[in-house]
Amino acid sequence: QIGDRGTLTWEGGSATVRDTQKPVGGIHVHYATVNEGTLRTGAKITATVAEGVRWDTMRNHTATHLLHKALRDVLGTHVQQAGSLVEPERLRFDFSQNAPISREDLSRIEQIVNEQIRLDYPVQPQVMAYQAALAEGAMALFGEKYGHEVRMVRIPGFESKELCGGTHVQSTGQ
């Protein structure tokens, strides 16, 4: 998922944030261009997120979870996410599959995702112990190294459970 965009303001100045990343645990880095003034160490800063960008990104990120589950339901549990790009304008979802997808299967996948959106299921992130999340059936992707505590994103009713640190809407209908 792309990082947040927005503005930073302080007494006598402002900057436009074009990206936000978390390169190592607990440290947030803002890539920004100062528009006016001088940013000094110790300045009191107000950060404002570009809400439209954030909402569109959250919608598309939640859609990747719906798509992943629908792909596995239709094509089989061998399907694994192999990467993705989540932006406000679009999402790209890379996955493993051992054969071309038929038009019928593609239509079924689209139907399932649209149905889950209309059903407006809650999206429930929960911080929990890594082993407890796995015991509940959460998918841990990419062979990532997880800490003792993880964030599981659950969509009850659709039975989607994945470990994920991204932003999501509060319900599939959003």
Side-chain angles (χ1 to χ4, degrees), residues 11-172:
E11 187 175 327
S14 69
T16 301
V17 177
R18 63 184 180 280
D19 193 13
T20 308
Q21 296 294 320
K22 191 175 174 185
V24 291
I27 297 176
H28 294 83
V29 177
H30 296 77
Y31 296 90
T33 302
V34 174
N35 301 321
E36 62 178 295
T38 302
L39 182 55
R40 300 196 191 290
T41 302
K44 182 179 177 183
I45 297 172
T46 300
T48 306
V49 174
E51 285 192 42
V53 172
R54 167 65 84 85
W55 272 100
D56 288 344
T57 303
M58 291 189 312
R59 287 181 188 103
N60 285 338
H61 193 150
T62 303
T64 65
H65 291 267
L66 299 177
L67 178 57
H68 193 197
K69 176 79 165 58
L71 286 164
R72 290 174 58 87
D73 286 353
V74 173
L75 302 176
T77 57
H78 67 279
V79 171
Q80 292 289 321
Q81 181 177 352
S84 68
L85 173 65
V86 179
E87 300 178 309
E89 302 84 15
R90 68 187 180 108
L91 68 88
R92 187 196 74 230
F93 190 85
D94 306 328
F95 63 97
S96 59
Q97 167 62 358
N98 53 15
I101 302 173
S102 70
R103 288 193 182 281
E104 295 79 19
D105 284 345
L106 192 57
S107 291
R108 180 69 184 129
I109 292 162
E110 183 178 1
Q111 178 186 12
I112 290 170
V113 171
N114 286 328
E115 181 178 283
Q116 302 319 304
I117 292 168
R118 284 189 299 274
L119 287 169
D120 198 27
Y121 287 126
V123 177
Q124 301 172 336
Q126 178 183 3
V127 176
M128 60 194 322
Y130 176 69
Q131 290 302 326
L134 293 182
E136 283 198 36
M139 291 184 58
L141 305 171
F142 312 121
E144 295 177 41
K145 294 182 180 178
Y146 296 98
H148 175 70
E149 280 197 333
V150 294
R151 187 165 173 264
M152 180 174 68
V153 176
R154 171 192 338 241
I155 304 173
F158 190 42
E159 301 313 314
S160 172
K161 298 175 187 174
E162 293 187 36
L163 301 186
C164 183
T167 59
H168 298 85
V169 291
Q170 294 177 349
S171 68
T172 59

